[in-house]
Amino acid sequence: RKDTESSESKTSVWRSLENRIIPKVEGLLSKETTDKSGRKVNLLRPSVLLALTRLFQKFPSNEFEKKLPSILTVICSALKNRDSSARDVARTTLGKLVVAIDLKYLPDVIRELAITLTEGYQLHVRAACVHTILLELSKVYEAPSDTETDYFSPPFDNSTIAFMDLIQADLFGEANERRESKETNVRFVKEAAGTKTVHAVELLARMISFKPSNARNGHRSRSAVHCVVGPFLERLRLPDVDAKIIRKIKEILSRVVVGISNNPSVTADELFPFVYASIQPFIGEEAANSVKHYGETTAFDSDDDDDDERKTIKVSGRKDTAESKESSKSKGVVVEWRPSTLQSSRSGKTAVEIKHGEQRKLYQVQDGASAPKLTGSSRHSLEAVNFNHMNNPASTAAIVFGLNLMSACMKKIDISPEKHLDLLDPFVPMLTACVCYCRNNEVTSAGLRCLLPLLRLELPSLPTCSSALSSKVLSFLSPGSNLNQNHELNQACFKTLERIHAKSHNLPLDSEQMRVLIPLLQVSVAETDQHNPALNLIKAILSRKYVSPEFYDLMEAMLKMVVRSQKPTLRQQSAG
């Protein structure tokens, strides 16, 4: 009997809520007022809406799912208001609502925004709402642990695709055209100002679970980081991408680096394969392979008979005989040389024969013995590697993103040489190729920053790449280089040479290169404030027992610095 009475009372309470209380409260969600221009507008009541949402959360889940669309419709209708203050209230209310409800309903919120706000100034309002939602969630959201993400994808990661659709529409779609339009009839709203969308990408990269390995076996949608980074890298691969788009993508990817570097879920096992797979298509396998044979020259001069021949210049009107040579030397006859008459035909018949011979050569197949002969030290190589694709602006932007991401994350994650040796070794030839073949200063600096931690480790690829890296780094330090004025890059070059000399069994530079390096070391120690990298390189060269006249001169200069230098630290380090 008691169960029957409680069931009846529960039914009566539910009926009173459904038929009387909830409809009255829903009518109070907004109020009608008059704006400055005299038009009637509906203003949202945030406190009433959030209280009603908390009441709906007490209901069963199926009942809450029925009530949620009506609440979202009221908020999105308020976002269409032309009054900016009314839109601000609605946008703030939407952010608080998303924080209050379960994250599994986040795709429903984004879908309602995409359906309701579709044209004109509403596109800027929609982008501002996305930024507000991510900003409010970033204050309270905690990513699940690694063990939980191995079995299921978090609800927030499932919403990444929907977020990126709206973000890309704002960055590259009609909203961007309206923002950059110079026409006077385009309505400007304050939501269009600033870089809210770019900041939204950074927030998204910071909050997702960094699990790029989930994209294996075709499950791309399970990897949230691929959903964030992939669209921008794909745009860089387009053949008709212009410089303006490249600059914008480069700025966005720099904010992605900031977001991922502050993401607590980043691990070395996930980071290094992702970085390698992201930038390797823009570098190419040929560049990494050619680094191992950088600077090698083969002397095959004796193979070609033409190289051994020494042909003299034929002089017009002169017989090429030994007697004439001796007579000219003895008599001192001045030889007349008229270049305009060289190889000229002496008769009309000879001219016709020469003409027919040249025509026959045009139809002759140049193969085998008649093939054109190459010259130069690299003429015996099988093929020439073209590095132009690495130096175009789109590839450079992608490479800078990957290297900056690797450099920023390596400072914060734990790297075990024994555990991650196989993951780090492929980076050595690829980073060396970036330093040697890419002409962009950002790529060079980022490549050296990534290489410096790797040079401390015992990686198998270091001996094969040390010669190429040392020669290229020395060229950066030379006075004729355009990078010589970059102080940060100069210090990185000295650090790189110091660690290569410390790891190599033999000197990676030959005698001529060492003769160039030693004066640079002396100038760096005597004339710059940051002399520690140069002093460490001198100590590394001393440990190799290198001897040369120039090095003795350097030691004498160091001996004078011990007494005469005005810097106490320099005197102390020069004495040690």
Side-chain angles (χ1 to χ4, degrees), residues 236-505:
L236 291 177
R237 291 192 181 98
L238 296 177
D240 56 345
V241 59
D242 58 358
K244 190 175 183 179
I245 298 296
I246 293 175
R247 287 194 300 268
K248 179 180 291 187
I249 294 177
K250 189 175 180 180
E251 179 187 359
I252 296 169
L253 291 177
S254 65
R255 302 295 287 270
V256 173
V257 170
V258 176
I260 296 179
S261 62
N262 293 318
N263 193 322
S265 63
V266 178
T267 59
D269 294 331
E270 297 286 349
L271 173 68
F272 295 126
F274 172 73
V275 173
Y276 188 88
S278 298
I279 65 177
Q280 195 272 339
F282 296 94
I283 297 175
E285 197 69 30
E286 298 84 0
N289 293 333
S290 64
V291 167
K292 300 177 182 179
H293 308 286
Y294 183 89
E296 293 182 1
T297 57
T298 54
F300 294 99
D301 295 337
S302 61
D303 294 345
D304 299 330
D305 296 335
D306 296 339
D307 295 341
D308 296 333
E309 297 179 358
R310 299 292 183 266
K311 297 183 180 180
T312 58
I313 299 176
K314 294 183 179 180
V315 182
S316 59
R318 177 185 172 193
K319 295 182 179 179
D320 191 8
T321 60
E323 293 81 3
S324 63
K325 294 179 181 179
E326 294 176 358
S327 61
S328 63
K329 290 181 181 179
S330 60
K331 296 180 181 180
V333 178
V334 178
V335 178
E336 183 182 3
W337 180 35
R338 291 180 294 174
S340 61
T341 60
L342 290 177
Q343 296 182 355
S344 62
S345 57
R346 298 185 178 182
S347 63
K349 183 178 179 180
T350 307
V352 173
E353 292 176 355
I354 293 175
K355 183 178 180 180
H356 289 316
E358 292 177 351
Q359 290 179 352
R360 284 193 298 270
K361 288 181 180 179
L362 294 176
Y363 297 98
Q364 184 179 0
V365 178
Q366 295 184 351
D367 194 7
S370 62
K373 293 180 174 58
L374 302 177
T375 60
S377 60
S378 61
R379 63 184 183 275
H380 295 282
S381 61
L382 295 178
E383 59 180 356
V385 183
N386 186 9
F387 303 110
N388 291 332
H389 65 283
M390 289 179 56
N391 293 289
N392 67 67
S395 299
T396 299
I399 295 172
V400 169
F401 158 71
L403 298 184
N404 287 338
L405 176 61
M406 181 178 176
S407 176
C409 293
M410 286 180 70
K411 301 175 183 177
K412 301 181 179 181
I413 61 177
D414 296 329
I415 300 176
S416 174
E418 297 80 9
K419 183 179 179 182
H420 303 122
L421 186 66
D422 296 336
L423 296 177
L424 294 173
D425 188 63
F427 281 97
V428 177
M430 186 174 68
L431 294 175
T432 307
C434 293
V435 175
C436 293
Y437 301 129
C438 196
R439 297 186 293 268
N440 187 274
N441 295 352
E442 294 184 45
V443 175
T444 303
S445 301
L448 290 177
R449 285 199 305 270
C450 295
L451 272 171
L452 285 174
L454 302 184
L455 293 176
R456 295 194 183 100
L457 309 176
E458 296 292 341
L459 299 177
S461 299
L462 284 178
T464 57
C465 300
S466 60
S467 177
L469 185 60
S470 302
S471 301
K472 193 63 179 180
V473 166
L474 181 60
S475 67
F476 293 152
L477 293 172
S478 61
S481 175
N482 59 349
L483 304 178
N484 186 263
Q485 303 300 325
N486 192 335
H487 182 71
E488 181 182 357
L489 183 60
N490 287 346
Q491 301 304 313
C493 291
F494 283 126
K495 292 179 182 178
T496 303
L497 289 175
E498 181 265 328
R499 293 181 186 176
I500 291 176
H501 280 77
K503 287 289 183 181
S504 302
H505 298 289

Side-chain angles (χ1 to χ4, degrees), residues 135-191:
L135 189 61
E136 293 295 328
L137 284 176
S138 64
K139 300 176 183 178
V140 297
Y141 179 72
E142 294 183 1
S145 61
D146 295 340
T147 56
E148 296 178 357
T149 55
D150 291 337
Y151 299 100
F152 69 95
S153 181
F156 183 81
D157 290 5
N158 294 332
S159 307
T160 307
I161 297 178
F163 275 121
M164 288 304 300
D165 286 342
L166 298 185
I167 288 173
Q168 288 192 84
D170 181 70
L171 290 173
F172 307 107
E174 181 183 349
N176 181 57
E177 296 177 0
R178 289 178 54 86
R179 192 181 297 109
E180 297 177 354
S181 177
K182 297 181 180 179
E183 298 181 6
T184 57
N185 58 350
V186 176
R187 177 180 172 82
F188 181 80
V189 292
K190 68 176 185 179
E191 287 86 353

Side-chain angles (χ1 to χ4, degrees), residues 535 539 558-559 561-563 568-576:
L535 289 173
K539 295 177 182 178
M558 298 286 294
L559 184 60
M561 291 180 190
V562 175
V563 181
T569 57
L570 181 57
R571 292 198 304 268
Q572 182 179 1
Q573 293 179 3
S574 299

Side-chain angles (χ1 to χ4, degrees), residues 46-88:
S47 55
V48 178
L49 189 142
L50 294 175
L52 185 62
T53 303
R54 293 189 182 93
L55 175 63
F56 289 160
Q57 286 180 304
K58 304 294 183 180
F59 293 172
S61 59
N62 57 343
E63 295 294 334
F64 176 75
E65 293 171 359
K66 293 179 182 178
K67 299 293 184 180
L68 182 61
S70 60
I71 296 178
L72 296 177
T73 302
V74 172
I75 298 177
C76 291
S77 299
L79 290 171
K80 291 182 177 181
N81 202 322
R82 293 185 177 273
D83 187 6
S84 60
S85 59
R87 294 197 303 268
D88 293 341

